[in-house]
Amino acid sequence: MRAILGTKDFVLGTFASNCSGGMTPTLLPERWASSWENNEKLGLLLDEAGIDFMLPIARWIGYGGETDFHGQVLETMTWATALLAKTKRLTVFATIHVAANHPVVVAKQMASLDEISRGRAGLNIVAGWNKPEYEALGLTLPPDHPTRYRYAQEWFDIVEKIWTSETPFDWDGEFFKLKGCYGKPLPWNRERPPIINAAGSGEGREFATRNADFLFTPAIDLSRSKAEVQELKGQARNVGRNVDVLTFSHVVCRPTEQEARDYWTHFADKNADWVAVDNLIALQFANAQSFPHDLMALIRDRFAAGHGGFPLVGTPTQVADGISALHEAGFKGTTLSFVDYVKEFPYFRDEVLPLLEARGLRAAR
Ligand SMILES: Cc1cc2nc3c(=O)[nH]c(=O)nc-3n(C[C@H](O)[C@H](O)[C@H](O)COP(=O)(O)O)c2cc1C
């Protein structure tokens, strides 16, 4: 059984360290530089600390503004390969846009990555939403969700068929015609790598509950999250599957609450790259349904702070309280992001992880 699928722990990962700015569209000079040097340092720190996974964002053009937030991005399959070669325990996901990547190629890349890492590779599937990015690639984003997800389903059916087929097969589908197709090696131990999807639309959530192990959804208001998580898990059970729900959080952890709050105001209000923030929000709202549209005002602040992530701000105890609240709402885990991941993670590791262990949310490593 894959480590990340079998664990009873509340799982923790990082998100977006392959992208310039990480999850923080700020003008501050210490904003995250998504160099390989920084990613390698972070991967080693996380692996050593027993963090469960790293999740990248696949991005082909940035969000503009003074910093061109997410303008400099390490491609996720190559990024994951290098990280998995360097680490021992971490699961590392690649993020793939189905329209930009042929399923036969991705199935083979993932199986190779899984062999290199002895079963620590994962796949985050993006069905598509970012129209200007599609245009930059010369692709057309289908305007309607049903077409996007019919394509995503056929794409993933092919990947799964390759991952499980011993013999060559033909494929005669709506979008793909394949002849004499197969892919070896198969995934490590012939187990399917863990699958993530972050859909918000009805069609997308049907896709996620049918196919994914983890569905990502923003935690904007935990009283709503509780019902949402139950509903999603129920929807998965109705098709005979177990799907866990994850969210993403942004961490500012300091010895005092005042220090944490002051820094939050400094990077996410006074020094936010507001042009990039507004471009990011406009695009999300134009083409995706991941964020509830009625929570827009609250979301603008949260996008400036952590790309819409759940705020974990304050002392180590307050940050641990926030994580406990996510757990109580039914989430199985969260990603973490920091303004400077490498500089700030060690404080989280030393002060927050022991609290989570003491509360029984995670086993000691
Ligand atoms: C955790 C997480 C990871 C995501 N990763 C990516 C990504 O790497 N690339 C991308 O284009 N979109 C990414 N997205 C955006 C979602 O894929 C997008 O909102 C979703 O496809 C919209 O689906 P919907 O139209 O069904 O709501 C991510 C969203 C979340 C919450």
Side-chain angles (χ1 to χ4, degrees):
M1 174 72 105
R2 306 269 169 161
I4 198 169
L5 296 178
T7 181
K8 293 200 169 16
D9 287 353
F10 185 82
V11 297
L12 294 175
T14 55
F15 188 23
S17 68
N18 67 314
C19 298
S20 55
M23 294 291 270
T24 317
T26 182
L27 300 171
L28 288 185
E30 71 258 36
R31 67 181 178 268
W32 180 245
S34 55
S35 61
W36 170 244
E37 188 185 342
N38 272 344
N39 275 277
E40 182 182 18
K41 274 188 202 154
L42 180 64
L44 294 172
L45 277 172
L46 299 173
D47 201 40
E48 182 69 25
I51 294 296
D52 302 289
F53 70 99
M54 291 176 84
L55 176 66
I57 289 187
R59 189 81 307 126
W60 306 97
I61 54 173
Y63 290 102
E66 201 176 308
T67 62
D68 191 23
F69 181 60
H70 287 188
Q72 180 160 319
V73 169
L74 297 178
E75 187 282 320
T76 74
M77 194 65 81
T78 39
W79 170 89
T81 310
L83 281 166
L84 285 167
K86 291 267 175 189
T87 53
K88 294 192 170 61
R89 298 194 283 188
L90 269 177
T91 296
V92 184
F93 287 84
T95 296
I96 290 299
H97 290 110
V98 292
N101 297 270
H102 195 282
V104 177
V105 178
V106 172
K108 168 79 83 181
Q109 287 172 320
M110 286 299 299
S112 306
L113 195 47
D114 215 28
E115 179 160 326
I116 291 166
S117 63
R118 296 179 173 78
R120 294 184 291 121
L123 179 63
N124 176 24
I125 299 175
V126 181
W129 62 278
N130 188 332
K131 196 156 175 255
E133 190 164 72
Y134 269 56
E135 287 165 0
L137 298 178
L139 298 167
T140 306
L141 176 70
D144 63 304
H145 278 73
T147 308
R148 288 183 208 169
Y149 282 101
R150 269 206 328 282
Y151 183 92
Q153 188 63 59
E154 189 174 331
W155 184 97
F156 188 58
D157 286 345
I158 293 170
V159 170
E160 281 210 297
K161 176 98 179 147
I162 292 177
W163 281 349
T164 50
S165 288
E166 297 287 345
T167 49
F169 62 90
D170 295 344
W171 187 273
D172 184 14
E174 181 183 355
F175 302 100
F176 294 95
K177 316 268 179 219
L178 313 173
K179 223 171 165 315
C181 179
Y182 64 96
K184 291 178 183 170
L186 300 178
W188 189 251
N189 283 342
R190 301 184 177 214
E191 285 175 350
R192 192 182 86 158
I195 303 294
I196 286 177
N197 180 260
S201 63
E203 294 83 358
R205 291 192 156 183
E206 275 174 31
F207 173 84
T209 46
R210 258 198 322 270
N211 302 288
D213 299 297
F214 297 109
L215 200 166
F216 259 96
T217 187
I220 307 289
D221 168 351
L222 290 191
S223 59
R224 280 165 71 140
S225 297
K226 210 166 192 159
E228 190 185 355
V229 169
Q230 285 319 315
E231 192 185 321
L232 288 167
K233 289 184 75 69
Q235 198 177 325
R237 268 196 306 276
N238 288 342
V239 290
R241 303 194 67 250
N242 177 45
V243 173
D244 281 318
V245 184
L246 303 179
T247 194
F248 51 105
S249 305
H250 191 72
V251 183
V252 179
C253 189
R254 298 290 186 272
T256 66
E257 180 177 350
Q258 195 58 47
E259 280 172 85
R261 295 212 170 279
D262 287 349
Y263 188 57
W264 185 278
T265 310
H266 182 55
F267 76 82
D269 185 5
K270 295 198 180 98
N271 291 290
D273 185 346
W274 285 111
V275 174
V277 172
D278 287 335
N279 288 341
L280 179 57
I281 294 175
L283 272 175
Q284 272 286 337
F285 280 81
N287 301 308
Q289 293 165 20
S290 291
F291 288 88
H293 289 199
D294 56 325
L295 296 177
M296 180 95 171
L298 183 59
I299 281 172
R300 189 168 185 253
D301 291 353
R302 290 209 187 164
F303 264 93
H307 201 311
F310 186 72
L312 293 172
V313 193
T315 63
T317 303
Q318 288 172 315
V319 168
D321 289 347
I323 293 175
S324 299
L326 291 174
H327 175 69
E328 277 156 29
F331 289 106
K332 171 67 182 165
T334 185
T335 62
L336 309 167
S337 51
F338 305 84
V339 172
D340 182 336
Y341 298 69
V342 167
K343 193 166 151 217
E344 296 177 63
F345 171 71
Y347 188 65
F348 178 93
R349 174 196 64 201
D350 296 342
E351 302 296 331
V352 181
L353 286 182
L355 297 177
L356 301 180
E357 288 165 14
R359 294 178 186 195
L361 288 183
R362 289 175 61 82
R365 298 298 194 271

